[in-house]
Amino acid sequence: MKTLLVKGSEAIALGALAADCRCYFGYPITPQNEIPELMARELPKRGGVFLQAESELAAVNMLLGAASTGVRAMTSSSSPGISLMAETFSYLAALELPAVIVNVSRGGPGLGGIEASQGDYFQATRGAGHGDYHFLVLSPASIQEAYELTARAFSLAEKYRQPALILTDALLGQMKEPLRLRRLRFPRYPVEDWALTGARGRPGRTLRSLFLGPGELRARNLLLQRKYQAMRREARAEILYAEGAELVVTAFGSLSRIVREAVEMAREKGYPVAFLRPITLFPFPDRPYRKLAEGGQPFLVVELNCGQMVEDVRLAVCGRSRVESLALPPSDLPAPEDIYRRIRRCLAQR
Amino acid sequence: MSGPKMKFVFPRVLTERPFHYCPGCHHGIVHRLLAEVLEELELRERAYGVASIGCACFLYYYFDIDICEAPHGRACAAATGAKRARPELAVFTYQGDGDFAAIGLNESLQAAARGERITAIMINNTVYGMTGGQLSPTTLPGQRTTTTPEGRDPRMYGYPLKVAEILAQFPGVAYCARVAVNSPRRVLEARQALRQAFLAQLEDRGFGYVEVLSACPVNWKLDPVSANKKVDELTQTFPLKIFRTWEGL
Ligand SMILES: Cc1ncc(C[n+]2csc(CCOP(=O)(O)OP(=O)(O)O)c2C)c(N)n1
Ligand code: SF4
Ligand SMILES: [Mg+2]
């Protein structure tokens, strides 16, 4: 098995290639340019399509067109570009297209900055566009996981006929780690019964989202909601040191690595602290949260924004535990010691 | 009596569902011509249409082919994605002047400039039909619309955008024509133009574009016959012409 030293962005591109992604459409934006650049080099060699679009708006609609033909396709961008795609996200969800979107997010609002930030948590998990819909949202914490989750995203997207979003940030996108190019065997799912491939030997097919007949749109919405319910079984989280924990510290994505270090620091000093990291942000893995809240242990939610995931944690624990927020708006990254001090304070309040 | 016999043939590509268009609307005529061309070129089984947002957004009710809906203005980008993903498909968009030339102008021009092997049909009725007859980029100077109640004032809104004339300059465009369907002769010419615009992609020549000057009696506040005549007036601003073809003019 080959091991490479690559950036997170490159690992995402390699994960897409491992999943046999056939089409990439994108528009340049820092800090994710390594994805289109790697795809531009590699996809044509494999008989795939790389196309630089005139905007993120065009890119995501090219993605819509390609995905509608049942071909594995993706786009990637960073926060402002993702905002520009929002209208079409709603269409992708409405047309039930298996498309993969990557957000190597940066600080906002506005042009913001290019540092690591988790300010797009709401945008990712609540659906940036209009209407009642969700994306599947996966968030890796290492370069290895970025590779594997991207490949998995293609499989899940196909399984549920559903757009899947990888939410990561500048920190993971830009840092380098060894990547073991493991063979990935996520299943493929048939597309023949819905994809637009030309009406050979069958009636014409339509992918549409306009429903004006009485009750039609309601039925359509309920169908989507049933699917989102079914998707709950894909919820994933990493749980460490749950046994006898008196505080649960939770964080996602690259920041969770610093948080984990702080948790380990606390444990070395004898404090019984658990670590909980959601891997899927939608569906949110509320079961482990609920379970850990049964004993009434407090939670500390650490995030690189002004406090977004904390809302999902509060919903999951549903008043059983105290939930504290350590919200760190984009600036310098915290050191494990900063988080450790907050852990100490939380424990002192018991 | 000898001589050619007239026979009514219903194109198989069309479904039997009656059009929802207003009386005197030209969308229906263009649908019929498009269906005939798809049938003649034997494209039913590999056609991929993009229904855009406008009066013709229900395109899929009338054509028994594969059709995808695109957000307002993004038809050419969606068509690009489909064609690049599956080059064997015969991909076309069916758009209005607002969809193609206002909100979607960038996607339209860039797809044409790239020479995408797709066919774009643009129904130029000088208004936003679906939303009730507002100003569009192709509204004539002085033309009254619901958002220019005193008529389009060039000092405020400038002059109509001549899309065919713009596209005609792009080497990526293999075929570019403006047609009308308000007389039998023009209907036949329009059919020929549609055919050529499909051949442009089938023969791998480049982007195919047909702009159809179309009557919108309801929003022009005219009866169907007067609206049909009014299309002649439009041709003074929007001349009917084959602007570009790979075969040479
Ligand atoms: C993003 C967005 N903005 C606005 C609309 C509303 N809208 C629907 S159709 C349309 C204009 C259609 O005009 P045109 O493209 O000329 O087609 P026509 O109806 O005249 O055939 C508009 C503005 C929309 N559906 N989506
Ligand atoms: S509003 Fe105009 S374009 Fe729309 S269907 Fe009626 S006549 Fe045709
Ligand atoms: Mg119009």
Side-chain angles (χ1 to χ4, degrees):
Chain A
M1 192 191 318
K2 237 166 71 184
T3 300
L4 305 172
L5 185 66
V6 294
K7 290 186 178 181
S9 288
E10 293 166 322
I12 287 170
L14 292 169
L17 292 174
D20 194 27
C21 170
R22 306 304 297 160
C23 295
Y24 175 94
F25 308 99
Y27 185 82
I29 184 168
T30 306
Q32 59 82 56
N33 292 322
E34 293 79 1
I35 301 178
E37 285 163 1
L38 194 148
M39 290 308 231
R41 290 192 302 271
E42 292 301 322
L43 257 180
K45 279 190 223 162
R46 300 157 193 243
V49 174
F50 170 86
L51 191 62
Q52 180 171 320
E54 60 269 31
S55 67
E56 291 86 353
L57 205 47
V60 73
N61 281 284
M62 290 171 184
L63 176 67
L64 180 148
S68 75
T69 70
V71 161
R72 286 193 166 183
M74 79 182 289
T75 187
S76 64
S77 187
S78 181
S79 310
I82 295 289
S83 298
L84 196 52
M85 296 181 186
E87 186 202 11
T88 303
F89 285 174
S90 174
Y91 279 77
L92 289 175
L95 303 180
E96 294 191 88
L97 294 179
V100 172
I101 298 106
V102 178
N103 181 3
V104 184
S105 67
R106 50 193 252 183
L111 200 49
I114 52 169
E115 65 273 82
S117 162
Q118 298 181 322
D120 296 351
Y121 180 90
F122 279 156
Q123 189 200 45
T125 55
R126 271 56 175 171
H130 56 288
D132 278 321
Y133 79 91
H134 286 286
F135 275 10
L136 258 161
V137 185
L138 309 170
S139 185
S142 70
I143 267 107
Q144 188 68 36
E145 199 178 35
Y147 170 73
E148 294 181 15
L149 279 187
T150 305
R152 183 187 207 93
F154 281 91
S155 178
L156 288 175
E158 222 164 65
K159 178 175 180 184
Y160 291 98
R161 267 191 68 184
Q162 159 72 21
L165 178 94
I166 304 285
L167 179 62
T168 181
D169 59 51
L171 181 57
L172 197 76
Q174 291 303 310
M175 75 182 188
K176 281 192 174 183
E177 268 179 348
L179 167 69
R180 288 184 310 134
L181 276 183
R182 288 181 21 191
R183 248 200 133 75
L184 303 172
R185 290 189 211 283
F186 298 116
R188 293 197 83 110
Y189 297 86
V191 299
E192 290 76 26
D193 53 341
W194 61 265
L196 304 185
T197 53
R200 194 163 302 118
R202 59 162 171 81
R205 256 182 207 155
T206 301
L207 287 170
R208 60 163 176 149
S209 66
L210 179 62
F211 295 98
L212 298 180
E216 270 184 358
L217 191 56
R218 178 190 142 86
R220 195 65 209 147
N221 266 281
L222 294 178
L223 191 114
L224 289 178
Q225 292 303 320
R226 274 200 295 282
K227 177 169 80 173
Y228 302 147
Q229 276 304 318
M231 273 161 34
R232 300 204 79 83
R233 75 173 78 98
E234 307 297 342
R236 296 274 185 288
E238 183 187 6
I239 308 154
L240 295 170
Y241 322 122
E243 197 59 36
E246 291 177 17
L247 172 73
V248 183
V249 186
T250 181
F252 75 97
S254 54
L255 178 72
S256 72
R257 311 247 303 237
I258 303 172
V259 171
R260 184 172 163 178
E261 250 185 84
V263 166
E264 261 145 28
M265 216 178 255
R267 294 186 65 83
E268 269 163 34
K269 303 250 163 67
Y271 299 108
V273 180
F275 170 80
L276 178 46
R277 170 175 75 94
I279 297 170
T280 55
L281 303 182
F282 190 91
F284 191 74
D286 26 60
R287 206 172 290 172
Y289 284 89
R290 213 177 310 132
K291 192 132 203 300
L292 283 166
E294 268 163 17
Q297 292 89 336
F299 282 70
L300 174 62
V301 186
V302 191
E303 26 185 353
L304 281 180
N305 54 35
C306 298
Q308 300 189 15
M309 188 176 84
V310 63
E311 293 192 3
D312 282 337
V313 176
R314 288 200 171 116
L315 281 173
V317 308
C318 201
R320 289 184 195 88
S321 295
R322 193 176 85 235
V323 177
E324 288 198 21
S325 167
L326 175 51
L328 306 161
S331 62
D332 300 332
L333 285 171
E337 290 75 12
D338 302 328
I339 300 166
Y340 168 70
R341 276 195 293 277
R342 181 63 184 263
I343 291 175
R344 289 275 313 267
R345 252 194 291 146
C346 278
L347 286 166
Q349 277 177 36
R350 264 174 307 171
Chain B
M1 284 278 287
S2 60
K5 268 195 201 136
M6 276 244 271
K7 201 169 128 196
F8 181 80
V9 185
F10 194 87
R12 213 169 72 76
V13 173
L14 277 186
T15 65
E16 289 185 11
R17 187 165 176 144
F19 293 139
H20 71 275
Y21 302 110
C22 311
C25 177
H26 285 177
H27 269 302
I29 303 175
V30 183
H31 279 21
R32 165 77 192 221
L33 295 179
L34 173 58
E36 286 180 8
V37 167
L38 289 174
E39 190 145 302
E40 181 194 333
L41 298 176
E42 298 182 355
L43 294 178
R44 184 195 163 271
E45 304 207 322
R46 58 188 184 110
Y48 176 108
V50 182
S52 64
I53 313 298
C55 279
C57 61
F58 287 122
L59 197 69
Y60 38 76
Y61 283 158
Y62 311 122
F63 287 81
D64 179 27
I65 58 171
D66 281 2
I67 293 185
C68 188
E69 174 192 272
H72 192 25
R74 317 299 162 215
C76 282
T80 295
K83 182 70 180 187
R84 297 276 182 148
R86 293 195 191 266
E88 70 277 13
L89 294 175
V91 176
F92 71 90
T93 69
Y94 189 104
Q95 305 173 254
D97 42 304
D99 195 87
F100 191 96
I103 193 168
L105 186 65
N106 195 26
E107 286 77 8
S108 307
L109 293 195
Q110 302 277 359
R114 281 194 307 268
E116 293 297 336
R117 270 45 174 176
I118 60 175
T119 302
I121 301 161
M122 196 274 249
I123 306 299
N124 181 1
N125 57 12
T126 72
V127 284
Y128 287 6
M130 191 193 211
T131 43
Q134 297 85 357
L135 172 84
S136 119
T138 59
T139 298
L140 299 185
Q143 185 180 339
R144 286 173 197 272
T145 70
T146 56
T147 48
T148 53
E150 305 299 323
R152 178 178 185 157
D153 176 359
R155 278 173 314 169
M156 179 89 168
Y157 286 112
Y159 294 87
L161 204 61
K162 299 186 181 185
V163 180
E165 283 81 346
I166 299 171
L167 295 190
Q169 301 162 37
F170 295 173
V173 175
Y175 186 81
C176 173
R178 185 183 292 117
V179 299
V181 291
N182 67 334
S183 76
R185 185 175 55 82
R186 285 179 174 166
V187 167
L188 293 179
E189 284 165 2
R191 189 183 191 283
Q192 182 60 12
L194 285 170
R195 192 175 174 277
Q196 295 305 104
F198 272 97
L199 288 180
Q201 71 165 297
L202 297 177
E203 295 185 6
D204 199 27
R205 310 275 180 178
F207 190 83
Y209 176 78
V210 180
E211 180 175 327
V212 188
L213 292 186
S214 298
C216 176
V218 167
N219 289 307
W220 292 356
K221 312 269 185 285
L222 294 173
D223 62 82
V225 175
S226 312
N228 202 60
K229 284 210 188 91
K230 172 123 180 142
V231 172
D232 289 335
E233 238 172 78
L234 292 187
T235 62
Q236 287 161 21
T237 306
F238 300 111
L240 303 183
K241 197 172 150 184
I242 298 170
F243 290 90
R244 191 179 182 103
T245 162
W246 71 94
E247 292 163 316
L249 287 168

